[in-house]
Amino acid sequence: MRALHACLLTLTVIFLSSALPLTPAAAFPGPFAKAAASTKATKTLVKPDSAGRHSVGPRPSRWCGWYMRTQLGGGPEYNLARNWAKRGRPLNGPRVGAVAVWSHHVGLITGKTKDGQWVVRSGNDGGRVRERPRSVAGAVFRKV
């Protein structure tokens, strides 16, 4: 019964996510538009399929890598966060626009706070997409 329920829930999520229009952040008021203007998030980096959706497959339970695929493209092997450490070219340190890769998480550096912390946008951060100051200790940095 649980397997059937999980299957129906997954199909519902896939159906609903495919039916939702993808709207650039600049179309939203307030902080979303400000964030989009400062990070150039309105530029689509993944080519949409013929139906206008990004074809990265269903979201797995650990989905930070999957979220990065929706932003930067890549195959299903990049659903696993640590595989982002092999993509693009290495950087000597953190900088805006770099992909920060930890052994268990991946995110995009979008800014720096006044006190020197790096601002990282990532999926599956507390169960949602968040952009927040974050320690980059132990991370490797890639230019994708």
Side-chain angles (χ1 to χ4, degrees):
M1 184 68 176
R2 284 186 181 176
L4 177 62
H5 184 262
C7 184
L8 289 173
L9 183 61
T10 301
L11 289 172
T12 302
V13 168
I14 292 170
F15 173 75
L16 291 175
S17 65
S18 66
L20 294 173
L22 295 174
T23 307
F28 293 103
F32 295 109
K34 185 177 180 182
S38 66
T39 62
K40 298 180 182 174
T42 57
K43 181 177 178 185
T44 302
L45 299 175
V46 178
K47 293 183 180 178
D49 64 13
S50 60
R53 298 178 307 269
H54 299 293
S55 53
V56 294
R59 188 178 87 178
S61 61
R62 296 180 181 160
W63 54 275
C64 60
W66 175 89
Y67 173 75
M68 289 299 294
R69 288 178 57 211
T70 68
Q71 304 301 295
L72 301 174
E77 66 275 13
Y78 293 109
N79 282 348
L80 188 61
R82 69 175 160 255
N83 285 346
W84 284 89
K86 302 171 192 165
R87 181 136 184 231
R89 64 178 176 83
L91 296 172
N92 292 332
R95 63 188 68 164
V96 173
V99 173
V101 185
W102 297 266
S103 62
H104 64 285
H105 197 67
V106 60
L108 183 67
I109 297 177
T110 59
K112 196 170 186 180
T113 64
K114 291 178 183 177
D115 64 349
Q117 280 194 305
W118 292 100
V119 178
V120 178
R121 183 178 62 230
S122 60
N124 202 23
D125 182 2
R128 60 192 166 123
V129 175
R130 288 202 303 185
E131 185 170 27
R132 65 180 176 104
R134 198 179 164 126
S135 169
V136 293
V140 297
F141 307 99
R142 305 294 289 191
K143 176 69 177 163
V144 177

